[in-house]
Amino acid sequence: MQKLLKSIMLVGLLFVSYLLAAGNTDPISQIEHDVLANNGGKYDITGYFASYHFSSDTKSNWTFTFASRYGGKTYQLLGDTSEENMQRMGIFGWKPINVTPNPPQYYMVQYKRTPFGWILFDIDEEGNCKNVYKLAGQDPVTKGFSYDVDGDGHTDRLDGLGCKVTGESVQFFSAQQSSSSQSSSSQSSSSQGNITVGTAQLGNLAEAAVTIYKIEDNGSFTPLWNETTSSGDTLDEIGKFNIHADELHDEEYYLFKVVGGKDWDADDNGIKDAHFTLNRGTIRLVAKGKDIKVAGNNLRVTQVSELIYESVVKQIKYNFNKANFQTVLQNSIVKIVQDINQDGTVDIQDMLQFDPVNDKNRLTHIYKLKAQDIIDLIHLGRIPALFFSAQIGHYNTGGESHNIALSNDGTKAYIADGRDGLVIIDISNPQTPTQIGFFDTTGIAWDVALSNDGTKAYVANGAGLAIIDIRDPQNPTLLGSYYTAAGVWDVAVSQDGTKVYVTDGDRVGLLIIDIRDPQNPTLLGSCNIARIAFQVVLSKDGTKAYVANGAGLAIIDIRDPQNPTLLGSYYTAAGVWNVAVSQDGTKAYVVNEAGLAIIDINNPQNPTLLGSFNTAGISRNVALSSDGTKAYMTDSSNGLVIIDIGNPQNPTLISSCDTAGTAYGVALSQDGTKAYIADGENGLVIVDVSEPENFISFKSNALIGSYNLAGYALDIVLSQDGTKAYVADGWQGLAIIDVSNPQNPTQISSSGTGGYAHGVALSSIRKYAYVANYTKGLAILDIRDPQNPTLLGFYDTAGTAWDIILSNDGKKAYVADYSNGLVIIDVNNPQNPTQIGHYDTDGYAYGITLSRDGTKAYVADGWHGLAIIDVSNPQTPTQISSCDIGRSAYGVVLSQDEKKAYVADGDSGLTIIDIQVPQNPTILGSYNLAGTGGISWNVALSNDGTKAYVADDSNGVVIIDVSDPQNPTLLGSYATNGRAHRIVLSKNGTYAYVADEIGGLKVIDLTLFE
């Protein structure tokens, strides 16, 4: 051993001595003191030695490898390692080699910047030091040897030191410390000396990188310390790191960021797993210095602290105020955790001391349900905020779900599923709903109601009323029908089960039908309300019908079913879709396009408004809690919106849960803990509403700015300097918005375009805007004065102009002209644009982009996929090839190297196409968003080309990892609370600007959760 160590010591010194200045040696005790004193005894491993078998032409069988932070290079040591050569003061050399070395046998660290400031040690299987030596060797000045620092005639062992290796660092400690301290890493489960340790714990994370930041007054983060979490034999030893408690200031805020690591208790059962689970994600914790000190060794960075961080990071980055931030933190904490430390108060200590093993049942309900899902997402490197929802179950019905009724026992949901008729779903396990049966009603199923005994379903199916026997839910059968002159929208059943009340879509109003003989239903009476009747609900005593009639609320006396009469009406400013009545019959809750109106109906002849609440989107339906204090509304933009109606004069928002589709109908479970939503093309969605006050709209947190336009925002481009956004705003034309402050966009001006602005492009050369003007073709506007844009010229194409792009010189406009294919227009004279070329594609041209050299146009051609067109001669464009993607292509963008095209694929998501050989484009991969309720209209790429941001209608902005184009994966989504139609990124990739068809301009911070 002594011979081997002497060889290694000499080689190590020769290898590094040329980097170092000359110096002198120190006594053993001083060396040990210096090692412990410097850097708190913690060092990066500089390199290591490993035994390796080489060819017989050399006697050396050792390699030396620089640690990864020095480049990871490996060298073969050369020379004779025999003791005789050592005694002859033999000189060794080295040469770089391309091999993967064997596992390390001896490690090196530098504790002092002198020729002999090096430590050599070996470790056992658990990373604990077995032997520690002071490295000695040839002095580069005197050329003399110094193996024996203390002059005792033996190799210089540092027996007073122990150590523990974690990752690429080592922590030295006094060998006199307890054995339990020695068996843990840089810190044990309790304080070592004056060190206070925290734990990184999804399950316990070994070898994770920890960075501790100070949060500055402006919300920026200043890195202070880097740590690595410990390994060990037991969970108590794993995941520890120095929290630097003694160095924290009481009134400052700090961020703990834990990245990566090996999870040794992935299921949080308190038992060390046989094999670790690799963590690819990040968990963070933010708290004030004095609170961190109170938590001390009980501090844990967990999935709970990460969720709370994600809920407050927007406040930190954009509106950080130390004076009120503790309240911001507290408001998030009480939504997620319960009283962890049993002190009678839910506060910041309950977040700091949350133990995923022992406290998993001390979370509020939805976070308890989602706990393991959140951990799994973090393991995969995902950001929980971009996935989190109160949704607990989902079933894609295949049609377009409009309304829903529940069986009396709450085990089955009956869905009016548009053209797919009636769909029956088993919801006995709300997390895994499954289809039982269906019945094709031949018409469009808009609504469904059940008989009191649950044996019959009454379906408003567009063409009339269908009565269906559902006693055998696997085989429902038609009993009878009643056809009306116009479409039937809604149906309600009388308490005695002898009559149904249906709303007629042709201004007939309300129809009353006798269903005592279900095989032969007959008309009893009707009431013409001079409006299209959408929905009906009955009073508890069965004497009145309340009808949402498009323009407001109609109250009808139905005591004489053969002669119903109008009692009174209340008209609203927005169209009315739905109505619900309070249990006591004194209030009607009317859902109109603007939100909720609460109406006093004590006097049915003179209903009056009590209060109202406006939502972001178009509200569709409403259900009331059994105690009458909450209204559950479906909203086209926000999914499920929950409103406190305890004070009818002042209804207030409790929370919302965005759904992927277009939320139409809603029904509550009997116990009020679940909401069942008919979510349009997304089918059935089940949301846990047991604690709605605890919902956090994580997906909306990254939405930092918005401007609600008067029209329908369909396309967007940015000015060269990124300070202005130009939005194609439907009938309102072109809107110009100041986005120099992305948190507060303001409109500069707008200009009509003489048509319906659907797409927009800018000329950087001549300061003109070119608008794809739908049925009016092309419009050109002078935008040199952004406060006063003026129309310059028009060109009416033969088709419907959807999208537009300009040539690099700004002299030609390429228009995706729907059924007319590609149109090329000379815009050199903006007052008189003229068509110079045309190619009629096989499909419907929705979107277009050009190659960088302007010789090829890539057209998103609807059901015919991607069309590649040679436009090198703009007068005679010709098709090079096409690529069928199986669904409807709406938008296209190219990679920076123009080797790949990314196609927004309608209701199917994203398709990636290899276009290196334009004559033979081939599909590389795709990410399927079918069944999620969105429509992929457009796509933008991150600057590094690894992420695709898809404008996916009601799904908002969907983020897809495309670093492996053959296997794209979902990274999450950002909610826009509307219908995302187009997206463009800022030059630095920080912000996404979204043209939201309903919500106008939306600005998203893409870096908020990083």
Side-chain angles (χ1 to χ4, degrees), residues 8 140 255 307 312 452 500 507 635 709 826 829 912 952 960:
I8 294 170
L255 170 68
L307 279 179
V312 302
N452 294 333
V500 294
R507 301 199 177 187
D635 181 84
L709 291 161
D826 184 337
N829 180 355
I912 306 171
D952 198 49
I960 299 172

Side-chain angles (χ1 to χ4, degrees), residues 537-540 544 546 553 555 578-591 596-604 607-612 622 624-625 627-631 644-651:
V537 65
L538 305 181
S539 62
K540 202 169 183 180
K544 291 182 283 294
Y546 300 87
L553 173 69
I555 306 175
N578 197 274
V579 61
V581 176
S582 61
Q583 288 272 359
D584 61 7
T586 63
K587 294 179 286 293
Y589 299 84
V590 172
V591 175
L596 180 70
I598 306 175
I599 300 172
D600 185 335
I601 54 174
N602 276 295
N603 181 354
T608 57
L609 182 68
L610 290 171
S612 63
V622 64
L624 304 180
S625 61
D627 62 4
T629 63
K630 291 185 282 290
D644 184 338
I645 54 173
N647 179 355
Q649 283 85 12
N650 185 33

Side-chain angles (χ1 to χ4, degrees), residues 612-634:
S612 63
F613 182 89
N614 288 344
T615 59
I618 298 174
S619 301
R620 297 290 188 180
N621 209 320
V622 64
L624 304 180
S625 61
S626 58
D627 62 4
T629 63
K630 291 185 282 290
Y632 298 80
M633 291 176 56
T634 53

Side-chain angles (χ1 to χ4, degrees), residues 19 90 102 120 318 340 357 363 395 411 428 510 542 548 588 591-592 611 632 640 659 702 749 842 845 853 861 898 989:
L19 297 174
N102 288 338
L120 182 76
Y318 290 102
I340 301 298
V357 174
L363 299 174
Y395 184 83
T411 63
S428 54
L510 180 69
V591 175
N592 58 41
Y632 298 80
L640 180 68
T659 58
S749 64
D842 294 330
D853 63 5
D861 201 33
E898 298 193 351

Side-chain angles (χ1 to χ4, degrees), residues 944-994:
D944 63 3
T946 63
K947 291 187 282 290
Y949 298 91
V950 179
D952 198 49
D953 205 75
S954 58
N955 281 333
V957 175
V958 177
I959 315 125
I960 299 172
D961 184 337
V962 292
S963 54
D964 178 359
Q966 295 176 306
N967 186 36
T969 56
L970 183 66
L971 293 176
S973 64
Y974 296 102
T976 62
N977 300 327
R979 292 181 173 275
H981 203 272
R982 285 276 176 157
I983 181 171
V984 62
L985 305 187
S986 60
K987 282 185 177 179
N988 62 7
T990 298
Y991 300 110
Y993 297 85
V994 180

Side-chain angles (χ1 to χ4, degrees), residues 174-347:
S174 170
Q176 280 69 47
Q177 291 182 359
S178 66
S179 59
S180 62
S181 295
Q182 294 178 21
S183 67
S184 66
S185 71
S186 59
Q187 290 85 30
S188 68
S189 60
S190 61
S191 296
Q192 292 188 13
N194 293 322
I195 296 176
T196 306
V197 297
T199 307
Q201 191 172 356
L202 287 167
N204 298 59
L205 291 174
E207 301 176 37
V210 182
T211 305
I212 304 173
Y213 301 83
K214 178 189 173 188
I215 303 178
E216 304 293 351
D217 290 348
N218 63 359
S220 63
F221 302 130
T222 299
L224 300 177
W225 304 284
N226 294 314
E227 299 288 339
T228 303
T229 61
S230 60
S231 300
D233 293 328
T234 67
L235 291 179
D236 285 343
E237 298 170 344
I238 297 173
K240 310 302 178 183
F241 65 94
N242 184 353
I243 67 172
H244 293 267
D246 292 341
E247 299 166 86
L248 305 179
H249 298 284
D250 284 354
E251 298 304 316
E252 299 291 347
Y253 284 91
Y254 297 89
L255 170 68
F256 291 75
K257 183 177 181 181
V258 179
V259 180
K262 300 173 181 178
D263 192 336
W264 284 100
D265 186 18
D267 56 1
D268 283 323
N269 65 358
I271 302 172
K272 187 180 179 185
D273 299 335
H275 303 283
F276 67 80
T277 298
L278 185 64
N279 175 41
R280 295 182 173 88
T282 300
I283 49 177
R284 287 161 286 201
L285 178 149
V286 60
K288 188 180 284 189
K290 67 180 180 181
D291 294 318
I292 294 169
K293 294 176 183 179
V294 170
N297 294 314
N298 293 319
L299 180 140
R300 289 179 172 84
V301 185
T302 66
Q303 84 274 13
V304 167
S305 66
E306 172 65 16
L307 279 179
I308 292 167
Y309 169 80
E310 290 176 8
S311 72
V312 302
V313 63
K314 182 177 178 180
Q315 186 83 9
I316 296 174
K317 186 169 182 179
Y318 290 102
N319 193 27
F320 185 60
N321 183 344
K322 279 196 263 187
N324 65 14
F325 187 67
Q326 195 80 341
T327 301
V328 174
L329 260 181
Q330 177 69 15
N331 289 340
S332 288
I333 289 167
V334 297
K335 291 177 183 290
I336 296 177
V337 300
Q338 296 177 344
D339 187 6
I340 301 298
N341 58 10
Q342 300 293 289
D343 64 355
T345 303
V346 176
D347 57 20

